[in-house]
Structure formats: structure tokens, C-alpha cells
Amino acid sequence: AACNWDEGSGVRATPVAEGYSLSGISGTVQDAQSAGVILVASHVGRESAQFLVPTSSPGVTIAPLTTLDLSRRFADVILDDVVVPASAVVGDIGGGNALDRELEVALVLMCAETIGVIDWMFNTTVEYSKDRTAFGRPIGSFQSLKHIMADLGMYVEMAKAGAVAAAHAVQSRQEDAAELASMAAAFIGDVAIMVSQESLQIHGGIGYTWEHDLHLYMRRARSNSLMYGEPGWHRERVCAIHGL
């Protein structure tokens, strides 16, 4: 699915006799190469709208992207005067609330996945620190590494609490669901990068090799921190919710 949640959506829809004509670029769409239909967020005038667009439609170009996360495929979807019938509209024209809801659900799912990623990296790093020896003793026994791993453990648990709170708020449709979802995404995005870098440093040379799985998790953590808005974007969103 492709959705641009900010006001600068790259796709514009114009009413025509056959329905609507869509033009613009919907960027960084996951699995667009294998999708038969894409959900495109756009604007009709000043109103937001969503359309189901078959990728086989004339005027649709799928431009694959080179990605950091080797286990995912992304592409830009270029729409050049793509005509779809009025029945392709999902929901109602001006249905901004639906877009907000979709973003909230996407965020809590992404946060949950990221929690699994950083939990694996943290636990793997702790176990490695017990097995790897230097100067005749496990490196995890050194005070400097103990402090780092204690901090990482605290941040991982805080991230878990944030993900649970956001998921509960979104599921129960609390009034502050949008705020909690963005707060969780911002915090977990930053924590994921921190856990990734510290795990890499503690693993040392083996952490830099292709043969070790650490780099796969690091790639997923970084990709997730950007997919639905980087941490800074979500902090700005929280400010906007409060009129700041």
C-alpha cells in the first residue's frame, strides 16, 4: 500500500469524465513490484482522498529502489495521467480521518516489529559478551561494557512499554491515540538506532562481517525508523497536535 500522510502528498487527482486522473509520484512503496493493486493517497483540490489503482493501468510506472534493508523491496510509483473510475475511491473524498487511522495502525505494527528486532540484538549481544573472552575473562565482566548493556536493557524495556501503550490506545481508539503512536515511533526509532550501534561495537570485528546476522537486524531497525516518518517528523506531529 502506498500512502502519503503529510500535506505535501506527491499525487494529485483531477475529476474527469471517466472518474479521476491521477498524476505524481508515490514514493518508497513496499513491494510495489509484486502488487497487483496499490492504495494511493492523493489530494482532490484541497481534500484528501484514497484510490485503488491497478499497477497494470496505462501510465503507471514502477521504479525499483536500492534499499538498505536487504529483506525488503521498495519502489517509487510514478503516475502519469492514470485514469481510474469513480468506484476506485476508497471511503469518501476528504476522508482525512481514515488516513490518520491507517497511519496509527501502521505505526503500532511497525513499533511491535522493531521491538522484536532490538530485543534480539540486545539479548544476542549480552550472550556474546559472556562467550567472548579478552585478557583471560569474558568481555561482559568489564565495567565499561556492563554500564552500556545496563543502559541498553533499560531503554529496550522503556521502548516495550511505549509500544504497548500506543497499541492499546490505537486499538481502543483513545482520543490521544495519534499522539501516543507518534511518541512511541519517535522514541523507539531512536532507541533502535542506539541499540544497533552499541551492539555492533560490543560485537567488535565479527559484528562487521556479512556472515553474522547482526547487520540484517540493524538494516531492519534503520529502515523501520524511517518508513512512516523519522523520529523528528513524529515529534513535530506531536507538537502540531497540541497546536505548537
Side-chain angles (χ1 to χ4, degrees):
C3 285
N4 302 91
W5 283 279
D6 62 340
E7 291 301 319
S9 174
V11 179
R12 297 284 168 177
T14 303
V16 295
E18 300 89 341
Y20 294 90
S21 174
L22 280 64
S23 293
I25 299 176
S26 191
T28 319
V29 182
Q30 184 175 348
D31 295 322
Q33 299 95 317
S34 57
V37 178
I38 296 178
L39 177 64
V40 178
S42 67
H43 284 90
V44 180
R46 295 193 176 188
E47 300 288 348
S48 61
Q50 297 184 85
F51 297 87
L52 287 177
V53 180
T55 54
S56 59
S57 301
V60 175
T61 300
I62 307 296
L65 300 173
T66 300
T67 59
L68 176 66
D69 189 341
L70 301 177
S71 59
R72 278 178 172 157
R73 297 191 305 167
F74 290 92
D76 285 340
V77 178
I78 304 169
L79 306 173
D80 184 12
D81 194 21
V82 178
V83 177
V84 295
S87 60
V89 176
V90 177
D92 301 316
I93 300 295
N97 291 336
L99 282 169
D100 290 339
R101 174 67 178 172
E102 290 165 12
L103 176 58
E104 292 163 13
V105 172
L107 287 175
V108 297
L109 292 174
M110 182 194 68
C111 285
E113 181 184 63
T114 304
I115 291 298
V117 170
I118 63 176
D119 195 55
W120 183 91
M121 287 193 289
F122 173 68
N123 289 321
T124 299
T125 300
V126 170
E127 290 303 314
Y128 180 76
S129 74
K130 297 176 183 178
D131 296 334
R132 175 74 167 91
T133 59
F135 305 105
R137 54 193 290 197
I139 62 173
S141 65
F142 297 123
Q143 189 177 46
S144 59
L145 294 188
K146 284 182 179 180
H147 288 175
I148 292 174
M149 288 185 284
D151 287 342
L152 292 182
M154 178 186 67
Y155 280 112
V156 169
E157 292 305 313
M158 291 169 65
K160 290 178 181 179
V164 170
H168 177 73
V170 171
Q171 181 182 31
S172 56
R173 296 178 180 265
Q174 293 176 195
E175 291 184 2
D176 59 351
E179 180 180 5
L180 289 176
S182 278
M183 288 174 63
F187 182 75
I188 293 171
D190 283 340
V191 168
I193 301 305
M194 178 179 63
V195 172
S196 296
Q197 292 301 321
E198 295 292 1
S199 296
L200 179 65
Q201 294 301 320
I202 295 173
H203 271 83
I206 193 173
Y208 287 85
T209 65
W210 280 88
E211 288 75 13
H212 198 283
D213 288 343
L214 182 63
H215 74 98
L216 299 173
Y217 288 81
M218 292 181 67
R219 292 168 187 271
R220 177 57 60 91
R222 185 57 176 166
S223 175
N224 280 2
S225 73
L226 300 173
M227 186 177 298
Y228 298 114
E230 63 180 353
W233 184 88
H234 283 289
R235 292 189 176 94
E236 290 290 339
R237 185 168 183 256
V238 172
C239 290
I241 290 172
H242 290 280
L244 301 176

